[in-house]
């Protein structure tokens, strides 16, 4: 049984299939019989990508992964529906694809989506420090930030809504624990989760200070770690993937969040946080792209770079807090083998 899901003015195919995350092959083949009816089941190859932290990603192809027609099947992580609006994610896919900033989404199914394979390789953390690469990333972010909302409708930054939602989920999880207190981590390294009162006060402090900063509300990726950046060396371009958290948000948050990701995910090292010199060059490339994409004079002044630098430094704190809450939730709900406790510290 198929139905439609409306997003960005276009109806998306929905296939009423559930794919078992432990034995996905059968369900994927049934799905591909709809999407790629000319493919013979015996010729279909599958490659599991291991980069995802919360979702499973499987590439399906005939012949070569680089040939046209390759389908990416993403299985949603356990309990991710608690903090990800899947209909909104589909809409973001369609908006970004319409502006040539993202892949085409082919269909949704009960516990995931299928979309176009983006040619290239997942960016290596070390390449974030390379000027020719980070300028491409800055320019691509500037282009995405220039995308205007439909019908000129007013938009509000999603940051405080998302943060409040995460905080309420943490509160309900802690209150449902036997002692009303929550510890995360292994038995050898238990970490006590701060009280709901402490976390709430921290959020209100951030909101009070950051709301006074005049950072524009733009279309943001909101989760730009290296695993969500595809680098095509041959074509000299980058594309961003994974739009679970994409939404309108503070410009400085998206940039500050990306700068935090310089420290890495698996082996976190904040000595890798970008230097002032790197940030200055990055922000200059960003502003040139953002201004060009919004039809303004491309000249970037030192004062503009300095102003944005100060805003980004402040919003990077909100990024750390938001993903700390997220890591606490993941440590409780996720079935992916990953040390979320380390991210929440």
């Amino acid at each position: 049984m198929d139905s439609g899901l409306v997003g960005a003015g276009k109806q998306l195919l929905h296939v009423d299939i559930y794919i078992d995350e432990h034995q996905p092959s059968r369900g994927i083949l049934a799905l591909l019989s709809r999407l790629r009816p000319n493919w013979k089941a015996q010729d279909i190859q599958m490659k599991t990508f291991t980069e995802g932290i919360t979702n499973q990603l499987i590439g399906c192809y005939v012949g070569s992964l680089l040939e046209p027609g390759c389908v990416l099947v993403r299985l949603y992580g356990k309990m991710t529906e608690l903090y990800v609006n899947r209909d909104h994610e589909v809409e973001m896919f369609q908006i970004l694809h319409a502006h040539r900033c993202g892949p085409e989404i082919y269909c949704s199914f009960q516990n995931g989506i299928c979309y176009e394979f983006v040619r290239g390789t997942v960016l290596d953390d070390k390449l974030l420090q390379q000027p020719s690469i980070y300028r491409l990333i800055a320019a691509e972010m500037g282009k995405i930030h220039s995308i205007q909302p439909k019908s000129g409708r007013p938009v509000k930054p999603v940051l405080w809504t998302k943060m409040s939602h995460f905080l309420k989920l943490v509160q309900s999880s802690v209150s449902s624990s036997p002692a009303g207190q929550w510890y995360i981590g292994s038995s050898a390294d238990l970490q006590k989760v701060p009280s709901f009162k402490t976390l709430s006060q921290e959020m209100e402090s951030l909101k009070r200070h950051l709301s006074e900063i005049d950072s524009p509300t733009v279309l943001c990726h909101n989760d730009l770690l290296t695993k969500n950046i595809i680098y095509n060396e041959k074509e000299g371009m980058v594309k961003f993937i994974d739009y679970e958290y994409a939404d309108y948000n503070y410009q400085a948050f998206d940039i500050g969040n990306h700068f935090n990701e310089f420290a890495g995910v698996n082996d976190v090292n904040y000595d890798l946080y970008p230097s002032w010199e790197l940030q200055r060059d990055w922000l200059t490339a960003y502003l040139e792209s953002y201004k060009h994409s919004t039809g303004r004079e491309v000249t970037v002044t030192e004062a503009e770079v300095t102003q944005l630098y100060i805003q980004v430094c402040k919003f990077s704190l909100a990024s750390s807090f938001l993903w700390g809450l997220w890591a606490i939730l993941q440590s409780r709900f996720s079935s992916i083998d990953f040390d979320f406790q380390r991210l929440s510290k």
Side-chain angles (χ1 to χ4, degrees):
M1 178 182 175
D2 300 331
S3 62
L5 179 66
V6 177
K10 180 182 177 183
Q11 196 169 48
L12 180 71
L13 173 69
H14 178 78
V15 183
D16 194 17
I17 288 177
Y18 180 87
I19 297 179
D20 186 339
E21 63 175 306
H22 302 294
Q23 295 179 314
S25 297
R26 177 185 291 185
I28 289 176
L29 288 174
L31 196 60
L32 292 174
S33 70
R34 292 296 314 274
L35 291 178
R36 297 289 183 266
N38 295 330
W39 285 5
K40 296 179 180 178
Q42 62 269 26
D43 296 334
I44 296 174
Q45 299 182 67
M46 299 183 192
K47 175 181 172 60
T48 300
F49 295 93
T50 58
E51 286 81 12
I53 296 177
T54 54
N55 304 298
Q56 284 193 49
L57 191 62
I58 301 164
C60 308
Y61 59 97
V62 170
S64 167
L65 195 60
L66 298 178
E67 290 182 13
C70 174
V71 175
L72 285 179
V73 178
R74 194 172 85 206
L75 304 182
Y76 297 147
K78 181 183 177 184
M79 305 293 284
T80 53
E81 69 277 3
L82 286 175
Y83 40 88
V84 176
N85 183 327
R86 296 302 180 185
D87 289 352
H88 183 76
E89 179 189 11
V90 167
E91 183 180 2
M92 289 294 105
F93 254 100
Q94 295 181 324
I95 289 172
L96 289 164
H97 177 64
H99 288 84
R100 300 182 179 180
C101 292
E104 180 182 0
I105 183 168
Y106 297 136
C107 77
S108 62
F109 52 96
Q110 286 183 24
N111 59 323
I113 54 174
C114 295
Y115 55 96
E116 178 185 8
F117 178 74
V118 180
R119 289 181 179 80
T121 57
V122 172
L123 193 69
D124 185 273
D125 288 355
K126 295 176 183 178
L127 292 180
L128 283 178
Q129 304 279 350
Q130 190 171 309
S132 61
I133 305 296
Y134 71 63
R135 287 174 190 146
L136 288 175
I137 296 169
E140 184 68 9
M141 185 181 284
K143 182 180 176 183
I144 290 173
H145 283 187
S146 73
I147 297 174
Q148 298 299 306
K150 293 182 297 182
S151 306
R153 62 183 174 90
V155 289
K156 292 183 178 180
V158 73
L159 178 59
W160 309 119
T161 302
K162 182 66 70 175
M163 197 177 283
S164 296
H165 182 54
F166 282 8
L167 191 55
K168 287 176 182 176
L169 289 174
V170 169
Q171 180 190 28
S172 62
S173 297
V174 173
S175 62
S176 65
S177 63
Q181 181 59 59
W182 191 0
Y183 293 84
I184 61 174
S186 63
S187 57
D189 186 25
L190 283 176
Q191 300 290 325
K192 184 178 179 180
V193 175
S195 69
F196 176 73
K197 181 179 179 181
T198 298
L199 292 172
S200 296
Q201 289 174 340
E202 186 70 23
M203 189 190 88
E204 287 306 316
S205 176
L206 282 168
K207 185 175 182 179
R208 186 167 59 253
H209 287 90
L210 297 180
S211 295
E212 295 176 353
I213 298 173
D214 189 24
S215 180
T217 300
V218 297
L219 183 60
C220 296
H221 184 282
N222 290 318
D223 188 23
L224 200 58
L225 65 163
T226 51
K227 299 182 191 311
N228 288 336
I229 302 172
I230 302 297
Y231 173 48
N232 189 321
E233 185 176 8
K234 184 178 179 181
E235 298 182 17
M237 63 184 291
V238 295
K239 289 295 178 186
F240 305 160
I241 59 170
D242 195 346
Y243 314 124
E244 288 185 304
Y245 301 100
D247 207 332
Y248 283 89
N249 207 355
Y250 295 105
Q251 176 191 57
F253 175 88
D254 211 16
I255 301 172
N257 180 75
H258 176 61
F259 285 172
N260 280 340
E261 300 295 354
F262 275 58
V265 174
N266 294 312
D267 299 305
V268 179
N269 178 6
Y270 278 101
D271 289 339
L272 298 175
Y273 192 87
S275 65
W276 153 242
E277 291 78 17
L278 191 154
Q279 290 188 59
R280 178 182 175 183
D281 192 35
W282 197 105
L283 293 171
T284 300
Y286 165 83
L287 285 169
E288 288 173 350
S289 171
Y290 180 64
K291 285 187 168 188
H292 174 75
S293 298
T294 51
R296 289 185 283 170
E297 170 62 44
V298 176
T299 303
V300 175
T301 67
E302 189 70 30
E304 288 174 319
V305 173
T306 301
Q307 180 186 37
L308 184 54
Y309 167 76
I310 293 170
Q311 293 176 346
V312 165
C313 287
K314 293 180 178 180
F315 272 95
S316 68
L317 301 175
S319 162
S320 296
F321 185 75
L322 179 72
W323 295 117
L325 295 175
W326 175 88
I328 291 169
L329 294 170
Q330 287 293 323
S331 71
R332 184 175 180 94
F333 296 124
S334 179
S335 60
I336 300 289
D337 183 18
F338 185 80
D339 184 9
F340 294 103
Q341 170 202 359
R342 183 166 37 79
L343 296 182
S344 67
K345 292 181 181 179

